[in-house]
C-alpha cells in the first residue's frame, strides 16, 4: 500500500496530490512535477504532508489510489471515474490537480420513521426547513429527527455518485433512490408519477 501526500505552498494556486511509497519519494515527485509545471525564476518550495486515514475516509475514491501501487501525481477526472495517477512530467495530463468546490452541503437526519433522510441545502437552517416541508407534504406534520450531521460529498460513492454530481451543480432538495438504483435530488413537495404494473407512467 502506498501513501497519499499533499504538497502545499503559497506559490501554488492549488495543492498537488501525490501518490508515493514514502515522504522522500513524494518530495522527489514534487520536484520533478515543479520543474515541468511551475513558471518563473524563483524556486517553489512546498510543505509535503501525509494524509491520515481519517483524511482518506472523507475521500474514498482518492483512498483507492493508495492500493494501486503506482506512484505519481494524482489527478481527479470526474465523479464517476474518480482519480488517476499520472507521471509528474506529463505536460497535458487528463483531469485536475485540485478538487472542485461544492456550493451546497449534504445533511443526514436520523428520523424515527424513515431511518436516515439526506437533505442537500446551502445551510443547516434551509435543510431543516426542507425536511419539515417534506414531512408536511407527505405526512401532514412537522418532521421529527434525533440528530443531524454533515456528509462529505466525496463520501457519496457507488449509486450515490449521481447525488454528488447534482450537488456540484448546485441543486438542492430531498435525496431519493430512483428506479435505476441511482440517487438524485427532488423538491420537498415532489410526488413521483403513478406507474402501471408494466412500469409505464399513467
Amino acid at each position: 500500500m502506498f501513501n497519499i501526500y499533499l504538497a502545499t505552498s503559497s506559490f501554488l494556486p492549488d495543492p498537488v496530490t501525490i501518490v508515493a511509497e514514502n515522504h522522500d519519494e513524494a518530495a522527489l515527485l514534487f520536484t520533478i512535477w515543479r520543474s515541468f509545471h511551475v513558471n518563473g525564476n524563483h524556486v517553489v518550495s512546498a510543505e509535503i504532508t501525509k494524509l491520515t486515514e481519517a483524511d482518506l475516509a472523507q475521500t474514498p475514491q482518492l483512498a483507492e489510489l493508495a492500493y494501486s501501487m503506482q506512484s505519481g501525481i494524482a489527478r481527479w477526472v470526474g465523479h464517476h471515474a474518480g482519480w488517476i495517477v499520472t507521471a509528474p512530467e506529463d505536460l497535458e495530463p487528463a483531469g485536475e490537480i485540485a478538487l472542485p468546490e461544492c456550493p451546497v452541503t449534504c445533511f443526514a437526519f436520523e428520523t424515527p420513521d424513515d431511518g436516515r433522510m439526506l437533505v442537500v441545502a446551502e445551510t443547516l437552517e434551509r435543510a431543516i426547513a426542507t425536511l419539515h416541508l417534506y414531512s408536511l407534504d407527505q405526512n401532514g406534520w412537522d418532521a421529527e429527527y434525533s440528530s443531524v450531521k454533515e456528509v462529505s460529498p466525496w463520501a457519496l460513492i457507488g449509486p450515490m455518485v449521481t447525488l454528488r454530481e447534482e450537488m456540484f451543480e448546485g441543486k438542492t432538495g430531498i435525496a431519493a433512490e430512483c428506479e435505476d438504483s441511482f440517487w438524485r435530488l427532488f423538491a420537498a413537495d415532489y410526488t413521483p408519477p403513478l406507474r402501471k404494473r408494466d412500469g409505464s407512467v399513467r
Side-chain angles (χ1 to χ4, degrees), residues 136-160:
L136 284 168
D137 185 72
Q138 297 291 315
N139 308 313
W141 55 78
D142 282 342
E144 295 180 10
Y145 58 92
S146 56
S147 64
V148 59
K149 66 177 182 178
E150 290 188 18
V151 177
S152 167
W154 304 110
L156 300 172
I157 57 177
M160 286 190 168

Side-chain angles (χ1 to χ4, degrees), residues 7-76:
T8 56
S9 170
S10 58
F11 294 104
L12 297 172
D14 297 304
V16 180
T17 306
I18 304 168
V19 184
E21 190 171 3
N22 52 49
H23 188 277
D24 289 342
E25 184 182 22
L28 175 61
L29 289 168
F30 173 75
T31 300
I32 297 170
W33 177 87
R34 179 186 63 194
S35 67
F36 283 90
H37 296 277
V38 177
N39 297 323
N41 297 322
H42 56 271
V43 175
V44 175
S45 59
E47 181 179 349
I48 299 176
T49 56
K50 178 183 170 183
L51 295 184
T52 66
E53 288 186 12
D55 295 326
L56 293 175
Q58 295 299 311
T59 54
Q61 287 176 309
L62 178 59
E64 291 176 5
L65 289 189
Y67 295 93
S68 69
M69 304 303 286
Q70 180 182 358
S71 61
I73 304 301
R75 288 188 173 264
W76 185 77

